[in-house]
Amino acid sequence: MIRLKDLREDRDLSQKDVADILNISQTNYSKYELEKINIPIEYLRKLSLYFNTSIDYILGMTNEISPYPRLKNISSTDNCSK
């Protein structure tokens, strides 16, 4: 999950910015980046939509940053905004 920090920094966002997107504290978000606690799947989903990538990429399971083709009923604005 090291890629959370890279994705965040690529967009010039602070931890607080991303925490606000997830409606959580900056402290908890920091623990996700540091892999001190596991990130819930609902947050992974929101982050993959926000950063326009796949959960597999965030988790380091692929080096392909492009997301998989989305289902028609899922959009990048579903539960988060850019």
Side-chain angles (χ1 to χ4, degrees), residues 18-53:
V18 179
D20 288 346
I21 291 165
L22 298 175
N23 294 317
I24 60 172
S25 70
Q26 180 274 325
T27 303
N28 273 353
Y29 178 76
S30 175
K31 290 176 184 177
Y32 298 147
E33 275 194 11
L34 296 171
E35 298 184 61
K36 290 187 176 187
I37 59 175
N38 291 326
I39 185 168
I41 190 72
E42 68 184 81
Y43 295 158
L44 284 170
R45 182 177 179 275
K46 284 182 180 184
L47 291 169
S48 73
L49 291 170
Y50 182 82
F51 290 119
N52 195 35
T53 192

Side-chain angles (χ1 to χ4, degrees), residues 2-13 47 51 53 57-58 65:
I2 293 294
R3 290 191 170 143
L4 284 177
K5 182 177 180 182
D6 294 336
L7 288 166
R8 176 178 60 79
E9 289 178 343
D10 287 348
R11 294 236 179 150
D12 295 322
L13 298 170
L47 291 169
F51 290 119
T53 192
Y57 181 79
I58 293 171
I65 195 166

